[in-house]
Amino acid sequence: MKPIDQPGRAAASPSAAEPRSLLAQADDRTLRILEHRRRTGWVRRRGWLVKRALLLSDLLGLTIAFGLAQVVVSESTSLTGALGHGLETLVFLATLPLWVVVAKLYGLYDRDEQRTDHTTIDDLPGVFHLVTVGAWVFFAGAWLSTAAEPDLAKFILFWGLSIVLVMVFRGFARAFCRRTITYLQNTVIVGADDVGQLTARKILRHPEYGINLVGFVDGAPHELREEIEHVAVLGRPDQLLEIISLFDVERVIVTGDTTDETLDLVRSLKDVEVVVDIVPQLFELMSSNAGLHTIEGLPMVSLPPLNLAPSSRLLKRTMDVVVSAVALLVLSPVFLLVAIAIELDSRGSVFFRQVRMGALGKEFTILKFRTMNPGADARRAEVAHLNVNGDPRMFKARNDPRVTRVGRFLRRTSLDELPQLWNVLRGQMSLVGPRPLPLDEDCHVGSWARRRLDLRPGMTGPWQVLGRSDIPFEEMVKLDYLYVTGWSLGYDLKLLARTIPVLFQFRGAY
């Protein structure tokens, strides 16, 4: 790992302080969490809250879907004779506990507590399987019944509505949970070295993960970067169990090299109710679709081939063409309104054109709505001091005086990016891909990181979804490298789906 290049204060040696004396130094949020748990009961944590909220959302989604199907297909009842319309409803309600059990078997209630980045989008495969299997079983059971005439139209309508409504209600349930103090997980990081501090910075950058970083556990002093110098070193590794009890820690993140001491430390947590996350060695090479398998009980992480198959490229390009063509047609009124607003707000062209670096090193001209006054490029030196990154390789300013009034709105809502759909349709860009870098930024990308050019740059991608301008240049390049070397259609669809809520958060959009 590279040495820390912007040292802050030196972390105090943890051997000088006992954990109990640090409780008075805990930040306000940690104290509020501990007081809340003391009043409401220590068992009421994220898992307790989310499981109940998701269970309720599933019951509501399924019941409302069934009711709507009954109302819409009212001319024909699916159960006749002894089983009338009302009895059919009672039979369905009686099966609801079975739906919950199957959802539990699919793991649809447990992942929020285990995974920090789990979203409703990740539930879609499980929800689809659950509803499909459950609906077919219900249909088959009605058909095999001696007094049943199942209605296929009602079955199909119930199936479609259930998938949509369960997903929608799950989204609302998680949104509610994330606004409560119960959702927060007290977390400590074992290791305050480079990797530990990188982990801390990522946690603090993403409050939506619901992680309350209590502090570090380390046996040696380290220089802390400015962004995290307020995070305390709570004690030594041999004090970890006491720290967990004192701060009611739910998650322990272990970083650093694997040693006998580290193994013993993790094993010592077997009787403690905590989630243990281990940052693996060579983590900078592991993409989201890395697989885990074993050989004679020895776990191995498998990385996918670094070269994308021709069929995968064809699939990705097909999705680009279809979606961009439909989007250009549907969004044409929006294009017209934005163009009129730009013309009324300031003089100059409606569109902004700039040469960017494309796939395989081929340059192309990107198309965006203009958000700055004419001659903005010539004034860049005047605003260099506003660069929020402090990194000359990537210029981003929160209050850039060159941005117009309409342009500021377009940037915050990302509407200025819509003309790139034309670049996608022409084959210069993709819907999802690495960030399209200007030439003066691309020249700073070298060596292994040039693999980011193996795929077309994207309108959205890991950089945009995970923080946009708030992500440093070096981390952005690594995210793009992992995206390209571990591409999958499923991950593209997930990034597209996650882009929509990001647009309404306005994080890093300036």
Side-chain angles (χ1 to χ4, degrees):
M1 296 298 297
K2 292 184 177 180
I4 299 171
D5 53 2
Q6 294 181 357
R9 64 168 173 82
S13 173
S15 61
E18 291 300 319
R20 246 172 235 289
S21 66
L22 292 172
L23 189 57
Q25 303 176 30
D27 59 50
D28 291 340
R29 186 163 72 164
T30 300
L31 293 176
R32 289 201 308 272
I33 293 173
L34 294 177
E35 175 60 21
H36 174 76
R37 291 178 180 176
R38 186 189 65 79
R39 288 187 289 103
T40 61
W42 295 92
V43 72
R44 298 193 178 187
R45 303 181 180 182
R46 176 188 294 188
W48 179 91
L49 173 68
V50 176
K51 288 175 183 177
R52 285 158 176 77
L54 292 180
L55 188 149
L56 179 61
S57 68
D58 290 347
L59 295 178
L60 283 174
L62 292 168
T63 304
I64 293 175
F66 185 84
L68 288 175
Q70 291 276 39
V71 172
V72 173
V73 191
S74 57
E75 291 80 10
S76 59
T77 57
S78 59
L79 297 178
T80 58
L83 294 177
H85 184 85
L87 186 57
E88 178 185 13
T89 302
L90 292 176
V91 171
F92 170 76
L93 293 176
T95 65
L96 285 177
L98 296 178
W99 289 86
V100 173
V101 172
V102 176
K104 174 71 174 177
L105 295 176
Y106 274 103
L108 290 173
Y109 300 129
D110 303 321
R111 290 167 186 157
D112 291 80
E113 187 174 19
Q114 299 168 3
R115 293 181 50 182
T116 57
D117 63 342
H118 189 74
T119 65
T120 301
I121 298 168
D122 297 310
D123 289 342
L124 182 55
V127 170
F128 179 84
H129 291 163
L130 166 70
V131 173
T132 301
V133 171
W136 273 109
V137 169
F138 189 80
F139 181 84
W143 183 75
L144 292 174
S145 173
T146 56
E149 291 182 12
D151 191 306
L152 184 60
K154 184 184 295 185
F155 161 75
I156 294 176
L157 182 60
F158 166 72
W159 172 79
L161 286 174
S162 294
I163 294 174
V164 173
L165 291 179
V166 168
M167 291 293 293
V168 169
F169 280 119
R170 278 180 162 254
F172 285 139
R174 285 195 172 92
F176 167 78
C177 292
R178 285 171 179 164
R179 286 177 169 80
T180 66
I181 194 172
T182 306
Y183 187 79
L184 299 176
Q185 287 185 319
N186 286 343
T187 301
V188 295
I189 298 176
V190 178
D193 58 359
D194 290 15
V195 180
Q197 294 191 42
L198 173 64
T199 305
R201 293 200 304 274
K202 290 181 177 291
I203 288 174
L204 296 174
R205 193 182 295 148
H206 290 277
E208 69 272 16
Y209 291 162
I211 294 181
N212 177 51
L213 183 57
V214 179
F216 293 103
V217 174
D218 204 312
H222 294 275
E223 293 288 335
L224 300 183
R225 292 185 61 142
E226 293 179 1
E227 304 97 312
I228 58 172
E229 62 179 358
H230 63 283
V231 181
V233 177
L234 304 173
R236 303 180 304 271
D238 61 355
Q239 298 172 303
L240 179 58
L241 290 177
E242 186 176 357
I243 291 171
I244 290 174
S245 175
L246 181 64
F247 291 97
D248 192 31
V249 171
E250 299 171 69
R251 183 178 295 273
V252 175
I253 301 176
V254 181
T255 68
D257 297 332
T258 302
T259 64
D260 290 340
E261 291 76 12
T262 305
L263 294 174
D264 290 340
L265 183 67
V266 174
R267 288 165 179 156
S268 71
L269 303 177
K270 62 180 178 63
D271 296 324
V272 184
E273 191 176 346
V274 295
V275 176
V276 179
D277 295 321
I278 299 175
V279 179
Q281 298 183 37
L282 305 179
F283 67 92
E284 292 175 309
L285 296 175
M286 297 181 189
S287 57
S288 60
N289 62 343
L292 183 67
H293 65 102
T294 62
I295 295 181
E296 292 291 332
L298 178 65
M300 291 190 176
V301 178
S302 295
L303 304 182
L306 300 184
N307 295 319
L308 208 60
S311 58
S312 298
R313 292 183 182 273
L314 177 62
L315 188 62
K316 183 174 176 63
R317 179 61 186 151
T318 301
M319 183 177 72
D320 287 342
V321 171
V322 173
V323 174
S324 61
V326 172
L328 284 169
L329 181 63
V330 172
L331 296 175
S332 55
V334 178
F335 276 71
L336 179 60
L337 291 175
V338 172
I340 294 173
I342 293 174
E343 284 285 359
L344 295 176
D345 183 55
S346 61
R347 62 183 179 86
S349 172
V350 169
F351 295 105
F352 168 77
R353 295 173 174 84
Q354 187 181 49
V355 177
R356 300 287 180 101
M357 182 58 68
L360 305 178
K362 296 179 181 179
E363 299 176 6
F364 73 100
T365 300
I366 198 171
L367 193 65
K368 303 175 69 173
F369 282 122
R370 180 176 58 84
T371 59
M372 290 187 175
N373 289 301
D377 284 342
R379 298 174 53 198
R380 182 166 176 173
E382 300 176 15
V383 295
H385 63 286
L386 298 176
N387 191 358
V388 296
N389 297 300
D391 187 341
R393 296 175 295 180
M394 183 168 63
F395 180 82
K396 294 292 179 181
R398 284 193 176 89
N399 297 300
D400 195 325
R402 302 172 297 168
V403 179
T404 64
R405 289 176 300 175
V406 170
R408 201 169 302 280
F409 170 77
L410 295 179
R411 288 187 170 210
R412 286 181 63 82
T413 57
S414 295
L415 287 174
D416 62 317
E417 311 281 355
L418 288 181
Q420 294 174 35
L421 288 167
W422 178 247
N423 293 114
V424 175
L425 188 60
R426 294 184 61 188
Q428 298 166 328
M429 293 181 63
S430 178
L431 293 171
V432 185
R435 179 174 175 249
L437 294 181
L439 300 186
D440 59 343
E441 295 182 12
D442 176 75
C443 66
H444 296 290
V445 180
S447 185
W448 53 268
R450 302 299 293 180
R451 289 296 303 271
R452 68 188 301 278
L453 300 179
D454 285 1
L455 293 180
R456 295 181 180 92
M459 291 184 63
T460 187
W463 183 79
Q464 290 89 337
V465 168
L466 297 177
R468 291 193 273 191
S469 301
D470 293 335
I471 296 181
F473 184 86
E474 188 172 309
E475 289 188 34
M476 179 268 295
V477 171
K478 292 177 181 178
L479 287 173
D480 285 345
Y481 171 83
L482 288 176
Y483 167 80
V484 170
T485 56
W487 180 87
S488 69
L489 179 62
Y491 190 45
D492 267 13
L493 295 175
K494 180 178 178 180
L495 288 174
L496 281 173
R498 290 185 63 181
T499 298
I500 297 174
V502 167
L503 296 179
F504 296 97
Q505 295 172 2
F506 309 132
R507 188 180 66 214
Y510 40 81

